[in-house]
Amino acid sequence: MTDVKTAPYKCIADAGGIRYRFYCHLSGAHVCTTGPYRADTPEQALALAWDREGKQHFNVCHRCGRWVSDAMFNAEVLECVDCAPYEALPRYCKHCGVKLHTHGKTCPACGKPLFYEGRAGA
């Protein structure tokens, strides 16, 4: 997994500091704009904006580490649609998060039903 600190962004000068526009890694769609931030360095201002406002609007892919919007995230396997298209079998249980080594109707760890493409597993 790549260590990606934030989603792609653009800085916007503001009288109160720097505002940030964050974009989805895959689609490039604008996801959120933060309020103004001031800090000792631009890196610190970015970290504050990302931690306080930005990352709550994104999902991180558990495979590649990219930050993506809900539309670009396959929640069944906790990966972006680039790493796990929707038709792929889940790799993790969405209930307990255990990695699946075999595919069945229920999670071997928590016993809850697994779903593939919106229907119960095979």
Side-chain angles (χ1 to χ4, degrees):
M1 181 162 127
T2 307
D3 185 25
V4 182
K5 302 277 187 212
T6 71
Y9 64 91
K10 290 184 182 175
C11 300
I12 305 163
D14 187 281
I18 302 171
R19 297 169 67 88
Y20 296 88
R21 282 191 181 156
F22 291 104
Y23 301 87
C24 174
H25 263 113
L26 290 183
S27 69
H30 172 250
V31 177
C32 73
T33 301
T34 70
Y37 285 88
R38 287 182 182 253
D40 292 338
T41 67
E43 293 81 14
Q44 290 172 337
L46 172 61
L48 285 171
W50 179 247
D51 287 339
R52 291 181 182 168
E53 291 186 60
K55 74 178 167 184
Q56 67 186 347
H57 299 284
F58 290 87
N59 301 286
V60 65
C61 176
H62 288 210
R63 185 176 209 186
C64 69
R66 293 181 286 188
W67 294 91
V68 297
S69 66
D70 287 345
M72 297 287 112
F73 189 67
N74 185 340
E76 292 290 324
V77 292
L78 305 175
E79 296 177 0
C80 69
V81 296
D82 212 19
C83 291
Y86 287 115
E87 65 273 3
L89 294 174
R91 294 183 199 163
Y92 297 90
C93 174
K94 71 176 185 174
H95 303 285
C96 70
V98 72
K99 185 170 185 164
L100 301 171
H101 298 286
T102 61
H103 297 285
K105 291 186 178 202
T106 61
C107 173
C110 71
K112 293 194 177 179
L114 299 171
F115 293 92
Y116 308 101
E117 299 178 60
R119 60 186 188 279

